[in-house]
């Protein structure tokens, strides 16, 4: 009783929710009958409580009864393939009957496969309906669950039947291959040819009657005859009689084909197959389907008897078509079912091709952007790299979505999975995500660009050579490539020497001895600087070189040379400062200005006396 109330409460809960899960116990429970009884009680209780209307409850009961019948195991076919080969030797009629039975089994197998595809499509639709059920349809949730379970059981029964038909047909074909040597055709030429002639005559007469009946039917339709139904019955009977004679002719030709296989007469065999193709072309759709299965079996027997090379040379076009058709069936056959959708090798290859094409298109796009950057050197390299990366990732993401769609994957399910994994990503991959977001910010903010000279710390200076989503590459002045995570540029202070103005003011400290005239020092350094070939800004009145006295130290008077330089002219700041220090040193020596040594004054208050 507790179990019943629990199930009833579960039913009410599922009716109250906007989405629901598949009730797998409806088709997987070990004791289905007991569970179906509980469901019936749930339906009655829901109707009494007003959760289900009478029409909805009646619909659910009908679905439940259909599900109950489908849960019964299918009865065995009772057919035995060995019955066709009980007598020894094998007669042409017995062999033809076995061939017909095998063709029927394979044709039925194809029909079952078609029904399986239809059932899988219905399962996919019902699963999507249950997963995304709306509040307006929640009262029909139980009916949807019962329908889904019914098609699940039907799918299982059809798969079992398909396996039985395939096994049955393959067993008969194997028996034909095994007993083909025992086939006896003592009077094939005389008896079959005579019978064939009579059949041909009957076919011509039946064809004439069929045409006459069709003309009479058309005349009756035009005249509006009251006996139109009688003319229709005559036309149908004539068409049926004509089809039976064609089937009889194909049966006789099948006997002849089997005997030709026994005699290993490949030329006559392939000629007869062409004649059979012409006869089968006049059959209705069902008759042609049965003949195609029979033709496939005959050609597989011919491959065993004549060999593959002879088969291809004897009937190249037909065999090529058969091979292509078989290959198409193999690659289109479902390998597995994902989310109630059959996934075949063809669909996997299609999705893989879309992904490969997406990556290839992305790479071609990046190469095209690189060629445009070389053609337009005035364009910002950072803009080009930003357009290249964003376009590449967009193309790859679109290709991924299209490939998933070609497999029938519901992207809403992917979004739910991504939402469930977001917590784990937040804790386990927070550093990676932080660098990823920082890379996107840097690309759009453009505070750091390719070619900029930056300084992160006292020991990390250099030129930006590459920017990616996760990291940025810096080439130091010692030609060392350092890969820096993008989050470092967001969280720390970064000095960008070339963000807006590539010029900077360089401070070069030096000192002279006390007593030296200040104006003499300035004049000596500036004149030497003016006559030098060092690269610095000369003609800008706002950026003229200057010499400042900054302090009076313990041993020297301290000065600084302030000079504006273009950062790109000298990539190493220490080497640049060295050039100006050498110039200052030479200028001071040239003008006789002393450079002091550190001085220390020692005061002695009392000299020690002589030792006693």
């Amino acid at each position: 009783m507790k179990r019943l109330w629990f199930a009833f409460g579960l039913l009410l809960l599922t009716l109250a929710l906007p989405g629901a899960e598949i009730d797998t116990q409806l088709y997987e429970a070990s004791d289905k009958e007991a569970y179906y009884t509980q469901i019936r009680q749930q339906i009655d209780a829901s109707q009494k409580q007003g959760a289900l209307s009478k029409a909805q409850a009646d619909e659910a009961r009908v679905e439940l009864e259909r599900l109950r019948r489908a849960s019964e195991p299918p009865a065995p076919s009772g057919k035995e393939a060995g019955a066709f080969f009980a007598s020894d030797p094998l007669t042409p009629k017995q062999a033809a009957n076995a061939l017909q039975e095998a063709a029927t089994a394979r044709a039925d197998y194809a029909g079952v496969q078609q029904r399986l595809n239809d059932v899988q499509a219905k399962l996919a639709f019902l699963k999507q309906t249950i997963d995304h059920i709306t509040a307006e349809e929640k009262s029909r949730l139980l009916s949807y669950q019962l329908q889904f379970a019914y098609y699940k059981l039907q799918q299982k029964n059809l798969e079992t039947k398909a396996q039985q038909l395939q096994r049955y047909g393959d067993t008969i074909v194997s028996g034909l291959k095994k007993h083909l040597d025992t086939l006896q055709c003592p009077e094939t030429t005389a008896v079959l040819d005579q019978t064939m002639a009579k059949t041909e005559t009957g076919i011509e007469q039946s064809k004439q009657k069929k045409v006459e009946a069709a003309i009479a039917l058309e005349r009756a339709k035009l005249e509006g005859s009251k006996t139109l139904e009688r003319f229709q019955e005559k036309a149908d009977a004539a068409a049926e009689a004509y089809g039976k004679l064609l089937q009889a002719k194909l049966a006789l030709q099948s006997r002849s084909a089997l005997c030709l296989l026994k005699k290993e007469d490949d030329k006559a065999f392939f000629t007869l197959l062409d004649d059979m193709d012409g006869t089968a072309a006049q059959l209705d759709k069902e008759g042609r389907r049965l003949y195609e299965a029979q033709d496939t079996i005959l050609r597989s027997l011919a491959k065993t008897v004549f060999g593959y090379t002879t088969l291809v040379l004897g009937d190249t076009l037909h065999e090529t078509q058969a091979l292509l058709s078989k290959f198409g069936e193999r690659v289109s056959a479902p390998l597995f079912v994902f989310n109630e959708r059959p996934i075949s090798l063809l669909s996997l290859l299609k999705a893989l091709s879309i992904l490969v094409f997406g990556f290839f298109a992305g790479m071609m796009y990046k190469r095209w952007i690189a060629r445009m950057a070389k053609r337009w050197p005035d364009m910002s390299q950072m803009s080009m790299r930003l357009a290249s990366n964003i376009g590449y990732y967009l193309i790859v993401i679109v290709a991924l979505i299209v490939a998933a769609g070609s497999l029938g994957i519901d992207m809403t399910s992917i979004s739910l999975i991504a939402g469930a994994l977001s917590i784990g990503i937040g804790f386990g991959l927070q550093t990676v995500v932080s660098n990823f977001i920082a890379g996107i910010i840097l690309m759009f903010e453009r505070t750091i660009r390719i070619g900029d000279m930056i300084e992160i710390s006292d020991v990390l200076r250099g030129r930006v050579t590459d920017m990616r989503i996760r990291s940025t590459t810096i080439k130091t002045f010692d030609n060392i490539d350092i890969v820096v995570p993008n989050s470092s540029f967001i969280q720390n202070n970064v000095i960008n020497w070339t963000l807006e103005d590539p010029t900077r003011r360089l401070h070069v400290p030096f000192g002279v001895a006390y007593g030296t005239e200040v104006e003499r020092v300035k004049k000596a350094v500036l004149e030497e600087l003016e006559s030098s070939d060092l690269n610095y800004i000369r003609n800008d009145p706002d950026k003229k070189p200057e010499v400042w006295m900054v302090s009076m130290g313990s041993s020297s008077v301290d000065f600084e040379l302030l000079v504006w330089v273009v950062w790109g002219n000298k990539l190493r700041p220490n080497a640049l400062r060295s050039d100006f220090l050498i110039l200052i040193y030479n200028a001071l020596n040239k003008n006789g200005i002393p450079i002091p040594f550190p001085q220390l004054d020692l005061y002695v208050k009392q000299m020690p006396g002589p030792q006693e």
Side-chain angles (χ1 to χ4, degrees), residues 298-319:
L298 283 174
R299 293 180 186 278
S300 67
L301 293 173
K303 187 184 298 183
T304 303
V305 175
F306 303 136
Y308 182 80
T309 303
T310 304
L311 179 64
V312 173
L313 295 177
D315 197 10
T316 305
L317 179 59
H318 197 289
E319 179 62 18

Side-chain angles (χ1 to χ4, degrees), residues 447-461:
T447 52
I448 297 175
R449 302 159 299 186
I450 295 177
D452 284 351
M453 304 299 299
I454 65 173
E455 178 179 344
I456 300 178
S457 63
D458 294 337
V459 295
L460 185 54
R461 306 185 187 95

Side-chain angles (χ1 to χ4, degrees), residues 597-609:
F597 295 99
Q599 297 180 5
L600 179 64
D601 293 336
L602 179 63
Y603 293 91
V604 180
K605 292 182 178 182
Q606 182 178 358
M607 293 294 294

Side-chain angles (χ1 to χ4, degrees), residues 243 246-247 280-289:
L246 291 176
Q247 292 284 3
Q282 306 175 57
L283 295 172
D284 57 7
K285 183 177 180 181
E286 183 65 25
R288 287 195 302 271
R289 188 171 67 91

Side-chain angles (χ1 to χ4, degrees), residues 539-588:
N539 300 323
D540 191 342
D542 295 329
K543 298 180 179 180
K544 289 184 177 181
E546 296 179 282
V547 176
W548 291 355
M549 189 179 80
V550 294
S551 67
M552 292 182 290
S554 60
S555 302
S556 64
V557 179
D558 298 327
F559 290 84
E560 272 189 356
L561 170 63
L562 283 77
V563 60
W564 289 88
V565 297
V566 178
W567 191 246
N569 293 334
K570 204 72 173 179
L571 300 181
R572 295 175 296 175
N574 293 332
L576 184 63
R577 184 176 289 106
S578 173
D579 292 341
F580 285 100
L581 282 173
I582 292 173
L583 180 141
I584 294 171
Y585 182 82
N586 293 333
L588 295 178

Side-chain angles (χ1 to χ4, degrees), residues 366-381 384-385:
K366 294 185 75 172
R367 292 181 181 179
W368 178 73
I369 292 294
R371 289 196 298 268
M372 297 298 293
K374 293 180 180 179
R375 190 177 302 174
W376 297 337
D378 295 336
M379 290 291 294
S380 171
Q381 294 297 315
M384 289 294 186
R385 182 59 61 92

Side-chain angles (χ1 to χ4, degrees), residues 223-240:
E223 295 175 353
S225 176
K226 297 180 179 180
T227 59
L228 184 61
E229 294 182 359
R230 183 168 61 85
F231 284 101
Q232 184 67 53
E233 290 176 358
K234 288 183 178 181
D236 293 341
E240 184 179 357

Side-chain angles (χ1 to χ4, degrees), residues 47-327:
Q47 183 179 0
K48 291 180 181 179
Q49 295 292 331
L52 294 176
S53 64
K54 183 178 184 304
Q56 293 170 344
D58 291 340
E59 179 185 2
R61 293 187 186 98
V62 172
E63 296 292 343
L64 180 61
E65 185 60 29
R66 186 174 67 158
L67 176 61
R68 189 192 303 272
R69 291 195 300 267
S71 64
E72 298 176 358
S77 60
K79 296 182 179 180
E80 292 292 338
F84 294 98
F85 311 104
S87 63
D88 192 11
L90 187 65
T91 64
K93 184 176 182 180
Q94 290 174 331
N97 291 338
L99 178 63
Q100 183 73 15
E101 185 70 12
T104 302
R106 291 197 173 182
D108 292 343
Y109 172 80
V112 171
Q113 288 294 330
Q114 182 62 41
R115 291 174 60 189
L116 266 174
N117 293 336
D118 295 340
V119 169
Q120 287 171 349
K122 293 176 182 178
L123 284 172
F125 172 77
L126 287 170
K127 186 177 187 304
Q128 185 176 11
T129 302
I130 294 172
D131 290 342
H132 305 87
I133 193 167
T134 60
E136 293 78 8
E137 294 186 341
K138 62 182 181 180
S139 58
R140 297 198 60 197
L141 176 59
L142 181 58
S143 295
Y144 290 146
Q145 294 276 18
L146 294 173
Q147 290 175 10
F148 184 88
Y150 168 75
Y151 287 119
K152 260 296 185 182
L153 291 176
Q154 193 179 42
Q155 179 188 40
K156 182 179 179 181
N157 294 337
L158 287 174
E159 289 175 349
T160 303
K161 185 176 181 180
Q163 293 175 0
Q164 292 175 351
L165 288 171
Q166 186 177 27
R167 192 183 308 112
Y168 180 64
D170 292 344
T171 303
I172 295 177
V173 174
S174 299
L176 280 173
K177 292 179 180 179
K178 180 179 180 181
H179 294 86
L180 192 60
D181 293 337
T182 66
L183 182 62
Q184 298 295 324
C185 302
E187 48 183 6
T188 302
T189 305
V191 175
L192 289 181
D193 289 351
Q194 184 178 5
T195 308
M196 185 68 69
K198 294 180 180 180
T199 305
E200 289 283 359
T201 303
I203 289 175
E204 290 297 327
Q205 295 174 355
S206 179
K207 184 177 182 180
Q208 184 67 25
K209 292 180 180 179
K210 177 185 175 184
V211 173
E212 292 176 358
I215 294 174
L217 178 61
E218 291 180 0
R219 187 185 303 114
K221 289 180 179 179
L222 292 174
E223 295 175 353
S225 176
K226 297 180 179 180
T227 59
L228 184 61
E229 294 182 359
R230 183 168 61 85
F231 284 101
Q232 184 67 53
E233 290 176 358
K234 288 183 178 181
D236 293 341
E240 184 179 357
Y242 180 68
K244 288 182 178 180
L245 287 174
L246 291 176
Q247 292 284 3
K249 180 181 177 181
L250 285 175
L252 292 174
Q253 289 175 325
S254 299
R255 296 186 192 182
S256 299
L258 291 169
C259 290
L260 291 174
L261 285 175
K262 170 65 182 305
K263 295 178 180 180
E264 299 184 6
D265 189 348
D266 56 329
K267 294 182 179 180
F269 175 80
F270 291 120
T271 302
L272 180 59
L273 286 186
D274 291 337
D275 191 14
M276 293 174 68
D277 288 342
T279 303
Q282 306 175 57
L283 295 172
D284 57 7
K285 183 177 180 181
E286 183 65 25
R288 287 195 302 271
R289 188 171 67 91
L290 187 61
Y291 167 74
E292 289 172 359
Q294 178 178 303
D295 182 74
T296 302
I297 296 173
L298 283 174
R299 293 180 186 278
S300 67
L301 293 173
K303 187 184 298 183
T304 303
V305 175
F306 303 136
Y308 182 80
T309 303
T310 304
L311 179 64
V312 173
L313 295 177
D315 197 10
T316 305
L317 179 59
H318 197 289
E319 179 62 18
T320 302
Q321 293 175 347
L323 288 176
L324 292 177
S325 177
K326 188 174 182 179
F327 177 76

